[in-house]
Amino acid sequence: MKKESIGIALLGFGNVGSGTYRVLEENAALISKRVGADVCVRAILVRDLNKERSVHAPAELFTDDFEAILGNPDIHIVAELMGGVEPAVTYMERALASGRHVVSANKEALARFGGSLTERSQELGLMLRYEAAVCGAIPVMNAISTALGANEITRIQGILNGTTNYILTRMGEEGAPYAQVLKQAQDLGFAEADPTADVEGHDAANKLSLLIAAAFGDTISPDNIDCTGITGVTKDDLDAAAASGETIKLIATADKENGMLRASVRPVPLPSENPLARVRNEFNAVLISCNMADDIFLQGRGAGPLPTGSAVAGDLLEIAACIVRETAGRALPTRRLP
Ligand code: NAP
Ligand code: HSE
């Protein structure tokens, strides 16, 4: 049965949830035209119904009851934008079990439970998409799984965390104190609810494990990725690197040679001719080495409400268009998850 409007539930209305809402509202006309139906937010799950929100949405959309969302027959897609492992994973499982397609921006949950969620979605003929989980607005998961799908990928190297790149840029260029810049990254909506995951490199490791699964088909737990964050990087280190014409960046690298996968996240001094050295502030970038297409360099905003909302909305649109065309769940699975 063709649908005239596609109903969305947003689980979470923080940085990403509110950014996604704004993208869907402010670009509603073009989205409706592209999908062939209106794409409407019909419910928003939050923890605290009394919290003041900087983005306005009608009060009747808000609920703190996940069961009410599952019970609403006009919701077709659930977007999990809460963060953390639980109850996010259980909510995604339950959304799938109830016949809803799922979109998520939650790299922590996907890096650990994405494989079983993918299997479940495929068993049920439903779609699970997560472009926003890796590098915010940069369409890197789409690039790897579709446009570069005919290539063998040999290496991935990137700046996968916006918060740490913002901190290193501001500390290095302006001498701004670490704690002050971290606070600004939090205020701008780049950082995780607990920024330890950012500054210790775990967020980049989660994203790297998702990239590895998509690019190499290998499962690696983020816990098994050799990981060092930026908390040990001082202004003196940044200045010493600059004096040698280098810039220190938090670099995630994965390569596969003779069947051997190597993966790491660590601060690396890069010479100025390396394109990653010139990626500043919350921008992310990924250099993908392919056996046919050669090197591909993708760059864009890796964090923040609207860039991330753009990626979430892109996944919602794709699923909505499939629902309208009655092809949802029949598309070949082109992405792998650990
Ligand atoms: P956030 O600002 O902390 O927002 C989280 C939202 O989820 C809040 O609205 C919160 O409700 C709600 N929530 C949390 N736990 C809940 C629960 N148990 N039940 C109901 N609602 C709950 O987080 P965020 O920055 O938007 O990040 C969300 C997800 O996107 C995370 O997985 C993060 O890693 C990922 N992500 C973030 C970015 C970014 O730039 N920030 C980019 C890419 C991906 P209240 O508002 O009532 O507290
Ligand atoms: N905290 C993350 C970052 C959000 O700073 O990159 C985007 O995934």
Side-chain angles (χ1 to χ4, degrees), residues 107 160-163 190-192 198 203 207 302-303:
K107 53 267 166 160
L160 308 185
N161 183 271
T163 300
F190 305 152
E192 297 302 300
D198 295 297
D203 178 73
K207 291 164 179 167

Side-chain angles (χ1 to χ4, degrees), residues 13-16 46-48 51 53 81 83 105 107 189 192 304 308:
F13 202 69
N15 296 304
V16 181
V46 291
R47 257 181 313 220
D48 179 359
K51 197 189 251 185
R53 313 243 167 223
L81 313 171
K107 53 267 166 160
E192 297 302 300
T308 312

Side-chain angles (χ1 to χ4, degrees), residues 155 157-159 165 168 238 241-242 244-253 266-279 285 287 297:
R155 187 165 196 257
Q157 189 172 49
I159 294 170
N165 205 43
L168 292 175
L238 295 166
S244 324
E246 294 178 325
T247 310
I248 297 177
K249 296 289 184 187
L250 185 66
I251 297 297
T253 309
R266 62 171 75 113
V268 178
L270 298 174
S272 56
E273 60 271 20
N274 186 318
L276 291 169
R278 295 191 288 275
V279 178
L287 186 59
F297 186 71

Side-chain angles (χ1 to χ4, degrees), residues 20-318:
T20 302
Y21 183 81
R22 280 189 58 193
V23 173
L24 294 175
E25 284 296 302
E26 292 175 28
N27 282 351
L30 74 84
I31 289 170
S32 171
K33 202 166 160 197
R34 288 177 187 166
V35 169
D38 291 339
V39 175
C40 308
V41 175
R42 298 229 161 91
I44 299 172
L45 182 77
V46 291
R47 257 181 313 220
D48 179 359
L49 288 171
N50 298 316
K51 197 189 251 185
E52 284 229 358
R53 313 243 167 223
S54 55
V55 174
H56 174 77
E60 63 271 20
L61 293 183
F62 287 88
T63 178
D64 57 4
D65 180 7
F66 180 62
E67 304 305 325
I69 288 176
L70 291 185
N72 183 339
D74 295 327
I75 288 171
H76 308 103
I77 313 173
V78 169
E80 185 280 301
L81 313 171
M82 305 188 311
V85 172
E86 284 297 350
V89 171
T90 298
Y91 286 2
M92 287 193 269
E93 283 168 353
R94 294 201 55 210
L96 289 168
S98 72
R100 275 45 175 255
H101 306 277
V102 170
V103 171
S104 177
N106 188 336
K107 53 267 166 160
E108 186 186 4
L110 290 164
R112 290 168 197 286
F113 295 97
S116 57
L117 286 165
T118 302
E119 260 175 43
R120 192 74 187 118
S121 69
Q122 287 167 4
E123 280 164 17
L124 294 165
L126 295 164
M127 296 171 79
L128 168 69
R129 299 189 67 91
Y130 53 93
E131 182 63 71
V134 185
C135 296
I138 305 175
V140 62
M141 301 307 289
N142 272 296
I144 289 175
S145 59
T146 56
L148 298 175
N151 284 261
E152 186 178 332
I153 294 175
T154 51
R155 187 165 196 257
I156 290 182
Q157 189 172 49
I159 294 170
L160 308 185
N161 183 271
T163 300
T164 46
N165 205 43
Y166 184 80
I167 293 172
L168 292 175
T169 305
R170 299 278 319 277
M171 277 176 68
E173 293 181 6
E174 299 160 31
Y178 172 88
Q180 180 191 312
V181 206
L182 172 58
K183 169 80 171 57
Q184 282 165 348
Q186 290 175 298
D187 291 345
L188 290 164
F190 305 152
E192 297 302 300
D194 176 357
T196 311
D198 295 297
V199 297
E200 297 295 354
H202 305 142
D203 178 73
N206 287 334
K207 291 164 179 167
L208 187 60
S209 89
L210 293 173
L211 285 172
I212 287 169
F216 304 130
D218 284 298
T219 300
I220 179 164
S221 162
D223 300 335
N224 293 330
I225 292 177
D226 176 20
C227 182
T228 307
I230 65 156
T231 48
V233 179
T234 63
K235 173 70 174 142
D236 286 348
D237 296 331
L238 295 166
D239 289 346
S244 324
E246 294 178 325
T247 310
I248 297 177
K249 296 289 184 187
L250 185 66
I251 297 297
T253 309
D255 59 27
K256 200 169 178 180
E257 217 177 331
N258 302 325
M260 270 287 288
L261 177 71
R262 288 179 304 189
S264 64
V265 173
R266 62 171 75 113
V268 178
L270 298 174
S272 56
E273 60 271 20
N274 186 318
L276 291 169
R278 295 191 288 275
V279 178
R280 298 173 61 249
N281 292 324
E282 79 275 22
F283 279 75
N284 284 188
V286 191
L287 186 59
I288 308 167
S289 303
C290 308
N291 72 340
M292 295 291 153
D294 204 356
D295 283 354
I296 307 281
F297 186 71
L298 299 172
Q299 180 177 354
R301 287 188 197 274
L306 288 178
T308 312
S310 157
V312 174
D315 278 347
L316 291 171
L317 253 70
E318 186 174 334

